[in-house]
Every structure is written in C-alpha cells, then in structure tokens.
Amino acid sequence: MLVYLNGEYLPAAEARVSVDDRGFLFADGLYEVVRIYAGQPYELEEHLQRLLAGANALQIEYHDVRALEPICRRLIEENGVSGNGIVYIQVTRGAALRKHHFPPKGTQATVYVAAKPHTGYPSHLWEDGATAITMPDNRWARCDIKSISLLPNIMANEAAMAAETFEAVLVRDGVVTEGSHSNVWGVRDGRLITYPASNYILAGITRATVFRLAGELGIPASEGLILAHELYDLDEVFLSGTTVEIMPIVAVDGRMIVDGEPGPITRRLLKTFRNSLPR
Ligand code: PMP
C-alpha cells in the first residue's frame, strides 16, 4: 500500500513521522475522510474546503489544499482502488520543540494521505437499522473544526460498542447535537430536523447532501433542536456521514423508535442517495 507523506510517495510500512510532531504530542492537527465510489473520490472539493477552513481557524500554515487532489487520485490509481474505498488525509502543525505556543514561522506542516479499498459496515445496518445510546457531549466548543483530537468521541463510541450498539448520540444541555462520528437526524410529522450548523457540531458533507436530496424529493427539512427526552418519540431517527452514509436508527437506549423498523422517509433518502452515487 502506497501512501503520501510530506512530498513523497512510499510504502505505508516505510512512512515515518517525527516523535516531535505536534500531531503526536498535542493532537494539533486536522483530518478528512473521503469516500471513494467506483474509483472516484466523492465530494472531494467539499472535504478539501472544510480542511482549509479548519487550517485557517487553527492558524496552521497550510493553504494549498488544491494540491491534495492529484495526490488523492494518484494513490487511488496506484493502489488499484477501482471500487469502493476511503481516502484519509491528515495535516498537523508539524514537528518542533515541545512548547504549547505555535512553532517558529515556516515550520512545515506534516501532510499524510492514504487511499485504500473499503467494504463498509455490514449491510444489515442499513437494511434493518442500527441502534444507539445517548451519552453526554463533553467535547470542546469548537466541534465545527475536524480536529484529530478525538478523545471524547472515542470514549463515547467505545461506550456505544460496549453496550452492543452502533453509535453514541451526544447530548449537550438536554439537546441532541450529533453522533460520535455522524450527524443525527429526526423526523417529526414528515419534517426532517437536525442540529443547527454551529460551533457545537461538525457540519457534515453528508448532512449537506441530505438537505439537497430532501429538497429534490420535496421533503421539508430544517435545522432545529431535538430534546434528548423527545428522541424516543420521534417518527424516525437516522445518521448521516461519509462512512455511515444515511443509516436508520431503530432503537435508542434500548427503546424502540416506533416499531423498531427503518422509517419510510429514511428509506427513501437512502435509496435516492445510493442511486445518485457513481457506479
Ligand atoms: N460529526 C462528526 C463528529 C463526525 O466525526 C462526522 C464524520 N466525519 C460527521 C459528523 C459527518 O461528517 P461527514 O458527513 O462530512 O462525514
């Protein structure tokens, strides 16, 4: 498996990052996960723009996100990812003497890109629906930045796994924000609701796709608040994200959503989404 690291293409086993890298020492960096469908990176431009916005927000000296496109394409090609796959991109503030404040100007950002085949989660999760638990959202107040600092997400997702569920639905001040690695949607009286794009969630690329598809299908959709205690009484619940795509949630905290079957609006959105993908 060939990867890209700081200007070089090399076998993954030979790729080395400094122990002084601020990604390693401080989780001082950003990442993106891009889906590959039929050998093509999906919504790559949107992911690169989000990476750039993150670099600007964190004042990481990395601006030429355009240069990542040919890198992604070359890795897809050279690694023979002709079907479904994943591109992983990570940019850190680079290697420097360990000080909390920024390193000297001109310190090179560390740039890592990998592309590999990906079969995805088991298909029954989309067909029969997945389950979730609620967990406190104890992340910082800049969840809009796709930082590699993911400990709260990891702890919440691990709790979900330990409870033999798929996702942790995060709750801040009694309100559902998002999942540990997905955006959360509710359906009430035929209308889609998801937490407002703000500093408290990552505005998912797939979230934007769901708004677009809903518009095309004539399904009303808006940003709004889902109170944690109302979650169980919604007509439908689903997740959106690069890897989860549009995934029905049929039970939360062991309580079934309606009859415990994926809802009709979720099914319609998923079908339309899948049909829109390159093949
Ligand atoms: N929220 C969080 C916390 C995530 O990690 C993800 C997955 N990147 C998402 C939402 C969904 O974002 P996207 O649709 O861009 O993958």
Side-chain angles (χ1 to χ4, degrees), residues 31-35 43 46-47 50 139 143 145-147 150 153 167 170 177-184 200-209 239-245:
Y31 77 108
E32 282 295 329
V33 176
V34 182
R35 203 58 193 261
E43 299 189 322
E46 286 82 349
H47 286 275
R50 184 168 66 187
R139 298 173 300 162
C143 303
I145 299 173
K146 200 164 167 63
S147 155
L150 287 170
N153 308 60
E167 179 61 303
L170 304 177
T177 50
E178 60 180 337
S180 73
H181 68 310
S182 61
N183 290 111
V184 174
Y200 286 128
I201 64 159
L202 185 78
I205 309 296
T206 323
R207 178 183 180 277
T209 305
L239 308 175
S240 70
T242 296
T243 56
V244 303
E245 301 178 317

Side-chain angles (χ1 to χ4, degrees), residues 20 36 67 72 96 108 126 141 145 157 185 191 201 215 237 247 256 259:
D20 291 325
I36 305 163
C72 294
Q108 284 295 312
W126 286 277
I145 299 173
N157 194 260
W185 297 75
R191 168 175 286 275
I201 64 159
V237 178
M247 185 180 284
M256 279 200 301
D259 56 358

